[in-house]
Amino acid sequence: MGSWTTQNDARQRRLAAGGQFAQGKAVAVDKLTSFLEAVIHPGDRVCLEGDNQKQAQVLAQGLVGVDPQKVHDLHMVQSGIVLPEHLDLYERGIARKLDYSYSGPQSRRITTMLADGKIELGAVHTYLELFARYFIDLTPNIALIAAVCADKHGNLYTGPNTEDTPTIVEATAFKGGLVIAQVEKIVDSVPRVDIPGDRVHFVVETGKPFYVEPLFTRDPALITETQILCAMLAIKGIYAPYQVQRINHGIGFSTAAIELLLPTYGEALGLKGKICTHWALNPHPTLIPAIEAGWVQQIHSFGSEVGMENYMAARPDVYFTGADGSLRSNRAFCQTAGLYACDIFIGSTLQIDLQGNSSTVTATRTAGFGGAPNMGSDPHGRRHPSTPWLKAGEEANPDMAPALRRGRKLVVQIGETFGDKNTSLFVENLDAILLADKLKLELAPVMIYADDVTHIVTEEGIANLLLCRSSAEREQAIRGVAGYTELGRGRDAALVDQLRQRRVIQRPEDLGIDLLDADRRWLAARSVKDLMVASGGLYNPPSKFRNW
Amino acid sequence: MGSWTTQNDARQRRLAAGGQFAQGKAVAVDKLTSFLEAVIHPGDRVCLEGDNQKQAQVLAQGLVGVDPQKVHDLHMVQSGIVLPEHLDLYERGIARKLDYSYSGPQSRRITTMLADGKIELGAVHTYLELFARYFIDLTPNIALIAAVCADKHGNLYTGPNTEDTPTIVEATAFKGGLVIAQVEKIVDSVPRVDIPGDRVHFVVETGKPFYVEPLFTRDPALITETQILCAMLAIKGIYAPYQVQRINHGIGFSTAAIELLLPTYGEALGLKGKICTHWALNPHPTLIPAIEAGWVQQIHSFGSEVGMENYMAARPDVYFTGADGSLRSNRAFCQTAGLYACDIFIGSTLQIDLQGNSSTVTATRTAGFGGAPNMGSDPHGRRHPSTPWLKAGEEANPDMAPALRRGRKLVVQIGETFGDKNTSLFVENLDAILLADKLKLELAPVMIYADDVTHIVTEEGIANLLLCRSSAEREQAIRGVAGYTELGRGRDAALVDQLRQRRVIQRPEDLGIDLLDADRRWLAARSVKDLMVASGGLYNPPSKFRNW
């Protein structure tokens, strides 16, 4: 019989080898590359954090610098491919295989590298799905993570950007793996313990903060009147009748418009306290006016947002905060909350086909999934009822016995019929299919599948797909809100008219919304500066958003 | 404008009031009830841990003892209703409302109390779903939790039974709530930090371990030959052709039989290394022979199991263990793993209707859901492919374009056609519907819905519901494995024959399984003592399972 402790034994060897470069747990940054060569073995599964927002960029640079003769064939399992270094690892022959979730800023380069066979792709995941696999078949041997500061015992303070760190560390540290953290500073005592020191084996003091990008900031000045109209449709035609209180918003100007219309248009409709009270949401600055107007009871966040730190610290009744006063985010729990505790997901997309499949990929860019497919799916494992969920279920299956009829999650896709560069939102075939073909993927990277989407909102109206009783009706319902796009013009006018009679399609006028009323007056803030003012000066926008 | 810090202010007041009864963070057990009266306010949302396995029973007793004039109208949000005290709270007028997941041992009493209106029911959840709501709309004001020991800073060691604790604490401590832990002992230094002390406000030293029940131990001596036949069918007819490696087993003798047949029958079929390598699973003692035979690469666990501690500590290559050497369990992550990273769920049930809805409730017992509906559902948010998932998806939708065709999770219900007391597994109408009617629930407590179940296994054969193309076929496929039950006898013999031709139904003989071969020789352990021997004496069965 062989050994049952090979992983712990390997960790002991790594600790001894790494200890040569360390004082206690502290590794000097100038020894980083030699240290990594000593502790990482060829073929290791490595999580280089690599989140949606924060990046362990010094460790990434250190890893890119190792000798590929010594460290090679790494299998990277990380949620975000964000920094150039994340892909340089493959160019340099250090890493070979990749399992990931999101690659926004690197979406073009990763597509080329995948097509050229420079990266062996495991799969593209949602965040929660990749985290799940950390505990089953993609457990890291090495975690390279980022925090704000550490004490000499390795206790870590992540500050507001806790994000993926607890999940990565739990999977690695409790399965014989090695956890290495970059921190700006080693201090006597951390403001709060985000990660206990006995799960952290080495700490690299870098003298600078980890890299973080303001991903969820949208300038109200760039919101169009069409987006305002769509927001009015969503609030009056979906949020109000379904009474959605527990909500998740995707990223984009359409949802930013909704956020900015709550305390104005929503208020005028008498909806305060009735909708949008509980959120799974990144700290969107565009939600500040609604929060200040008392609309929001509680928000749990996936991550933080640059500039929102002081505002959130001053609003602990709304945000989750720690003993130190600052935000505590947690992507795994917030994704779980979005999946199982929210009644609606609403987000933008780039392409929708005639059955309602949607995708944000184009043939040259594979941005990955992030969290949207998880939040934008109907969770069959849900068992607790709520008003919106039951109403949606009844619309979908009116003839089923109520006791055996599950509810449905509301999954809404919102967008202008003609988007960026005047391209049509509605397409015969998703570019995702072309991309799957090009990259020889087993599945096209569909963001939201047709069987999960319940509503499509454009400036022409709302298509309620729950009320469609056939594939043909579904197609006409989608064509019926596709405006002057080619697919919109291809509608069967008589059928679309019938669908409108049945309220499968609702036009602005059907909802008593005057097109002329859809203007910027409704925006509770019309600029980033307005948001700052609305926050009482607590919101501190990043310089790239300061144009005053 | 009102205050934005009401929750933190309330916590400060609670800390001051509780501090009167504490030295540092330590509260003496004889002051417990007065202490709880000081820190808990009427109407508070309280999580009294309350897991599947471990129980904060001293805190439960303390809470039952408070003066209902002082503490009343509590809203309990806890996953397990296990101890009599959990229900005494309602009898005594201390608690009013309940949101929960599982109530196995109290299932009869809770049903009566619900019917009598003594408990205002929020909803019955799956574990992960309740955890999700902790971050959205059911955040506790007070968490009463259980650990093994604490240091004076409040750092907690949970030992192998970490279970729900990190999730409860995160939701409570970071949202202005108060965390109170019972521990057996306050020590100088904890063996490992399962919960950082800055999230723990008070610690009650009880001098005795928390209560824990061996829920997942099944005595191999009680496994029937019919269950062995079902296990052979599952292994040869499902595990082998779908090549399921990432797996979750429910509780029960049927799945215990499968576990015990892996190193014998599975070995004979040449399946070692090809199936059942990665698990989301409680530490089932019946898996010991398969582990010892080298079948299992890795197991992540929801909780621990009494008597398995030393065995798991000696097998860290298989189990997740901490720096102290003992198991680290985590229910939230393991449920996530079961949902998104496993390709199959297989479990037993009490009743199956003719469309395939199944339930474990009877008209007098509502045991809640636990984790099965989460694990036993097809996760629409999943995006990574695998062999079993793709094969199941193809069987369900053979005509769909492969690039747009998602896979399917395998969800298998296994059982004898006649169960306990000779009652039929197959029923016209689930008792769950009667119960919903009696308790005026909006939904019947269905464990697995028809649209999620993919296979039903009985001693008569396997019904593959993925291959059914109509509701009528589905009904006959189910009748076709329902044996001599009334519904089985009501089959359309010609249609069932056709389904067998199409391999929708597979009989033992169709799979080359000889009924006479299904005997106890295949069990890798035939008693609890055999399990202990197989573990090399490391497994230490609880006394109630020691009959030698």
Side-chain angles (χ1 to χ4, degrees):
Chain A
M1 182 50 67
S3 163
W4 295 99
T5 59
T6 61
Q7 292 174 6
N8 284 351
D9 295 347
R11 175 157 64 189
Q12 286 309 318
R13 287 194 301 275
R14 294 181 202 267
L15 284 168
Q20 315 262 348
F21 301 89
Q23 287 198 303
K25 292 187 174 182
V27 176
V29 73
D30 61 358
K31 295 182 184 162
L32 177 58
T33 291
S34 312
F35 164 78
L36 292 175
E37 288 172 348
V39 299
I40 304 180
H41 302 162
D44 272 347
R45 221 180 271 135
V46 177
C47 177
L48 170 57
E49 191 174 24
D51 300 347
N52 194 338
Q53 291 153 281
K54 78 171 164 179
Q55 307 299 331
Q57 88 278 16
V58 174
L59 298 181
Q61 289 154 6
L63 188 58
V64 166
V66 299
D67 179 352
Q69 299 289 325
K70 295 180 183 164
V71 179
H72 50 84
D73 289 309
L74 299 183
H75 178 180
M76 308 304 291
V77 290
Q78 66 191 76
S79 63
I81 296 291
V82 173
L83 305 176
E85 289 86 351
H86 294 158
L87 292 175
D88 293 346
L89 291 172
Y90 298 86
E91 304 275 11
R92 293 212 57 228
I94 296 163
R96 183 175 51 78
K97 188 170 178 183
L98 174 64
D99 279 278
Y100 79 111
S101 292
Y102 167 78
S103 64
Q106 301 295 333
S107 57
R108 189 180 290 272
R109 183 169 169 217
I110 200 173
T111 307
T112 309
M113 289 178 68
L114 286 166
D116 292 350
K118 288 190 181 163
I119 299 174
E120 181 188 326
L121 182 65
V124 192
H125 307 74
T126 63
Y127 293 126
L128 197 57
E129 191 184 347
L130 183 62
F131 299 161
R133 294 189 71 187
Y134 285 170
F135 294 93
I136 299 294
D137 61 338
L138 291 182
T139 308
N141 305 113
I142 304 280
L144 303 171
I145 60 167
V148 172
C149 59
D151 66 20
K152 66 175 179 184
H153 305 293
N155 290 300
L156 299 184
Y157 175 62
T158 61
N161 289 87
T162 306
E163 304 191 31
D164 306 12
T165 315
T167 308
I168 299 167
V169 170
E170 174 131 8
T172 309
F174 291 113
K175 199 74 202 62
L178 202 72
V179 175
I180 301 160
Q182 76 165 62
V183 299
E184 181 173 359
K185 226 171 136 52
I186 296 178
V187 296
D188 287 339
S189 173
V190 292
R192 75 177 185 226
V193 178
D194 287 298
I195 308 291
D198 59 6
R199 301 176 200 175
V200 178
H201 303 97
F202 293 105
V203 173
V204 181
E205 188 178 29
T206 65
K208 58 184 172 187
F210 52 71
Y211 176 79
V212 59
E213 178 76 18
L215 274 177
F216 298 94
T217 301
R218 289 292 175 274
D219 185 344
L222 303 179
I223 293 174
T224 66
E225 297 201 329
T226 315
Q227 286 161 342
I228 292 169
L229 175 59
C230 291
M232 295 167 78
L233 284 163
I235 292 171
K236 194 164 183 185
I238 299 176
Y239 290 23
Y242 290 99
Q243 302 173 52
V244 284
Q245 299 194 316
R246 304 179 304 170
I247 181 164
N248 169 252
H249 272 188
I251 189 174
F253 286 102
S254 299
T255 43
I258 297 174
E259 291 155 18
L260 290 168
L261 257 63
L262 291 177
T264 56
Y265 185 69
E267 190 89 23
L269 295 176
L271 295 172
K272 184 175 167 182
K274 296 183 183 153
I275 62 168
C276 300
T277 50
H278 294 79
W279 296 73
L281 196 79
N282 277 295
H284 291 187
T286 39
L287 198 58
I288 290 172
I291 294 170
E292 294 300 305
W295 272 65
V296 176
Q297 280 191 43
Q298 185 165 312
I299 301 171
H300 188 258
S301 296
F302 309 94
S304 184
E305 181 66 4
V306 179
M308 286 287 284
E309 298 82 0
N310 295 341
Y311 178 71
M312 297 186 291
R315 299 289 179 268
D317 278 357
V318 173
Y319 291 98
F320 281 69
T321 58
D324 66 313
S326 77
L327 181 78
R328 165 83 173 190
S329 60
N330 188 314
R331 194 170 322 278
F333 282 130
C334 200
Q335 289 286 342
T336 303
L339 175 67
Y340 271 133
C342 288
D343 289 315
I344 188 170
F345 164 81
I346 179 163
S348 308
T349 191
L350 283 182
Q351 296 190 329
I352 302 178
D353 73 15
L354 286 175
Q355 282 306 301
N357 296 297
S358 64
S359 175
T360 56
V361 310
T362 66
T364 57
R365 289 178 185 269
T366 169
F369 294 120
N374 170 59
M375 248 94 63
S377 67
D378 184 44
H380 280 204
R382 175 173 163 175
R383 291 294 180 273
H384 75 279
S386 68
T387 303
W389 188 77
L390 290 173
K391 179 178 163 71
E394 188 179 350
E395 288 183 345
N397 291 299
D399 302 329
M400 202 172 198
L404 284 176
R405 180 174 62 205
R406 271 184 293 198
R408 274 287 292 268
K409 183 171 197 171
L410 295 166
V411 175
V412 182
Q413 296 283 273
I414 186 167
E416 301 166 90
T417 53
F418 287 101
D420 242 18
K421 296 178 190 158
N422 231 19
T423 53
S424 171
L425 175 62
F426 297 91
V427 297
E428 198 89 48
N429 291 298
L430 299 177
D431 281 354
I433 297 175
L434 296 177
L435 186 76
D437 195 45
K438 179 170 156 188
L439 302 182
K440 298 181 184 62
L441 304 176
E442 284 169 298
L443 290 171
V446 174
M447 186 64 85
I448 311 282
Y449 281 93
D451 58 351
D452 281 322
V453 67
T454 63
H455 296 76
I456 295 172
V457 181
T458 72
E459 71 278 9
E460 204 189 358
I462 300 172
N464 181 344
L465 305 181
L466 292 166
L467 298 174
C468 294
R469 298 290 167 250
S470 68
S471 168
E473 280 192 10
R474 200 175 170 87
E475 177 178 331
Q476 292 304 324
I478 293 171
R479 288 187 190 270
V481 296
Y484 291 101
T485 64
E486 192 184 330
L487 295 183
R489 284 181 278 118
R491 72 184 63 174
D492 178 327
L495 262 173
V496 166
D497 229 44
Q498 283 176 28
L499 293 175
R500 192 173 164 196
Q501 302 291 328
R502 278 169 46 202
R503 301 179 73 78
V504 175
I505 291 175
Q506 291 186 282
R507 304 279 176 230
E509 55 269 37
D510 301 338
L511 288 160
I513 295 171
D514 181 351
L515 298 188
L516 296 176
D517 192 35
D519 70 35
R520 296 180 53 77
R521 282 179 302 112
W522 285 120
L523 293 177
R526 289 164 212 175
S527 66
V528 170
K529 192 172 184 183
D530 281 358
L531 292 173
M532 196 181 72
V533 172
S535 75
L538 290 163
Y539 172 46
N540 179 26
S543 53
K544 73 173 185 181
F545 290 102
R546 290 170 177 271
N547 53 2
W548 59 91
Chain B
M1 182 51 67
S3 163
W4 295 99
T5 59
T6 61
Q7 292 173 6
N8 284 352
D9 296 347
R11 176 157 64 189
Q12 286 308 318
R13 286 195 300 275
R14 294 179 202 268
L15 283 168
Q20 314 262 350
F21 301 90
Q23 288 199 303
K25 292 188 174 182
V27 176
V29 74
D30 60 359
K31 296 183 184 158
L32 177 58
T33 289
S34 312
F35 165 78
L36 292 175
E37 288 173 349
V39 298
I40 303 181
H41 302 164
D44 272 347
R45 223 181 270 133
V46 177
C47 177
L48 171 57
E49 190 174 23
D51 300 347
N52 194 338
Q53 290 154 283
K54 78 170 164 180
Q55 307 299 331
Q57 87 278 16
V58 174
L59 298 181
Q61 289 154 6
L63 189 58
V64 166
V66 299
D67 180 351
Q69 298 289 325
K70 296 181 183 162
V71 180
H72 50 83
D73 289 310
L74 299 183
H75 179 181
M76 307 304 292
V77 290
Q78 66 192 76
S79 63
I81 297 290
V82 173
L83 305 175
E85 289 85 352
H86 293 159
L87 292 175
D88 293 346
L89 291 173
Y90 297 87
E91 303 275 11
R92 293 212 56 229
I94 296 163
R96 184 175 52 79
K97 189 169 178 185
L98 174 64
D99 278 279
Y100 78 110
S101 292
Y102 168 77
S103 63
Q106 301 295 334
S107 57
R108 187 181 290 273
R109 185 171 166 214
I110 200 173
T111 307
T112 309
M113 288 179 68
L114 286 167
D116 293 350
K118 289 190 181 162
I119 299 174
E120 181 187 328
L121 181 65
V124 192
H125 307 74
T126 63
Y127 292 126
L128 198 57
E129 190 184 346
L130 183 63
F131 299 162
R133 294 189 71 186
Y134 285 170
F135 293 93
I136 300 293
D137 61 337
L138 292 181
T139 308
N141 304 111
I142 305 281
L144 303 171
I145 60 167
V148 172
C149 59
D151 65 20
K152 67 176 178 184
H153 305 292
N155 291 300
L156 299 183
Y157 174 62
T158 62
N161 288 85
T162 306
E163 306 191 28
D164 307 10
T165 315
T167 307
I168 299 167
V169 171
E170 175 132 8
T172 309
F174 292 113
K175 198 75 203 58
L178 203 71
V179 175
I180 302 161
Q182 76 164 64
V183 299
E184 181 174 357
K185 225 171 138 54
I186 295 178
V187 298
D188 287 339
S189 172
V190 292
R192 74 177 187 228
V193 178
D194 286 299
I195 308 291
D198 58 6
R199 301 177 200 173
V200 179
H201 303 96
F202 293 104
V203 173
V204 181
E205 186 177 31
T206 65
K208 57 185 171 186
F210 53 70
Y211 176 79
V212 57
E213 178 76 18
L215 275 177
F216 298 93
T217 300
R218 290 292 174 275
D219 186 344
L222 303 178
I223 293 174
T224 66
E225 297 201 330
T226 315
Q227 286 161 342
I228 292 169
L229 174 60
C230 291
M232 294 167 78
L233 284 163
I235 293 172
K236 195 165 184 184
I238 299 176
Y239 291 22
Y242 289 99
Q243 302 174 53
V244 285
Q245 298 193 316
R246 304 179 304 169
I247 180 165
N248 168 253
H249 271 188
I251 189 174
F253 287 101
S254 298
T255 43
I258 296 174
E259 291 155 18
L260 290 167
L261 257 63
L262 291 177
T264 55
Y265 184 68
E267 190 89 24
L269 296 175
L271 295 172
K272 184 175 169 182
K274 296 182 183 155
I275 62 167
C276 299
T277 50
H278 294 79
W279 297 72
L281 195 79
N282 277 295
H284 291 187
T286 38
L287 198 59
I288 290 172
I291 293 170
E292 294 300 306
W295 272 65
V296 175
Q297 279 191 44
Q298 185 166 312
I299 301 170
H300 189 258
S301 296
F302 310 93
S304 183
E305 181 66 5
V306 179
M308 286 287 283
E309 298 83 0
N310 294 341
Y311 177 72
M312 298 187 291
R315 299 290 180 268
D317 277 358
V318 173
Y319 291 98
F320 282 69
T321 58
D324 65 314
S326 77
L327 181 78
R328 164 85 172 190
S329 60
N330 189 314
R331 196 172 319 280
F333 282 130
C334 200
Q335 289 285 342
T336 303
L339 175 67
Y340 271 133
C342 288
D343 289 315
I344 188 170
F345 164 81
I346 180 164
S348 307
T349 190
L350 283 181
Q351 296 189 328
I352 302 178
D353 74 15
L354 286 174
Q355 282 305 302
N357 296 298
S358 63
S359 175
T360 56
V361 310
T362 67
T364 56
R365 289 177 187 269
T366 169
F369 293 120
N374 169 59
M375 249 95 61
S377 67
D378 184 43
H380 280 205
R382 175 174 163 175
R383 291 294 180 273
H384 75 279
S386 68
T387 303
W389 189 77
L390 290 173
K391 179 178 164 71
E394 187 179 349
E395 288 183 345
N397 291 299
D399 301 329
M400 202 172 199
L404 284 176
R405 181 174 62 205
R406 273 184 294 199
R408 273 287 292 269
K409 182 169 198 173
L410 295 166
V411 175
V412 182
Q413 296 281 273
I414 187 168
E416 301 167 89
T417 52
F418 287 101
D420 242 17
K421 296 180 188 156
N422 230 20
T423 52
S424 171
L425 175 62
F426 297 91
V427 297
E428 199 89 46
N429 291 299
L430 298 178
D431 282 353
I433 296 176
L434 296 178
L435 187 74
D437 195 45
K438 179 169 156 190
L439 301 182
K440 298 181 184 60
L441 304 176
E442 286 169 296
L443 290 171
V446 173
M447 186 64 86
I448 311 281
Y449 281 93
D451 58 351
D452 281 322
V453 67
T454 63
H455 296 76
I456 295 171
V457 181
T458 72
E459 72 278 10
E460 204 190 359
I462 300 173
N464 181 344
L465 304 182
L466 292 167
L467 298 175
C468 294
R469 298 289 167 248
S470 68
S471 168
E473 279 192 13
R474 201 176 170 85
E475 176 178 332
Q476 292 303 325
I478 293 171
R479 287 186 190 269
V481 296
Y484 291 102
T485 63
E486 193 184 330
L487 295 183
R489 284 181 279 117
R491 72 186 61 175
D492 177 327
L495 261 173
V496 166
D497 230 43
Q498 283 176 27
L499 293 175
R500 192 174 164 195
Q501 302 290 328
R502 281 168 46 202
R503 301 178 74 78
V504 175
I505 291 175
Q506 291 186 284
R507 305 280 175 227
E509 55 268 37
D510 300 337
L511 288 160
I513 295 171
D514 182 350
L515 298 187
L516 297 176
D517 192 34
D519 70 36
R520 297 181 51 78
R521 282 178 303 111
W522 284 120
L523 294 177
R526 289 165 212 174
S527 65
V528 171
K529 191 173 185 181
D530 280 359
L531 292 173
M532 196 181 71
V533 171
S535 75
L538 290 163
Y539 172 46
N540 180 26
S543 54
K544 74 173 184 180
F545 290 102
R546 291 169 176 269
N547 53 3
W548 58 89

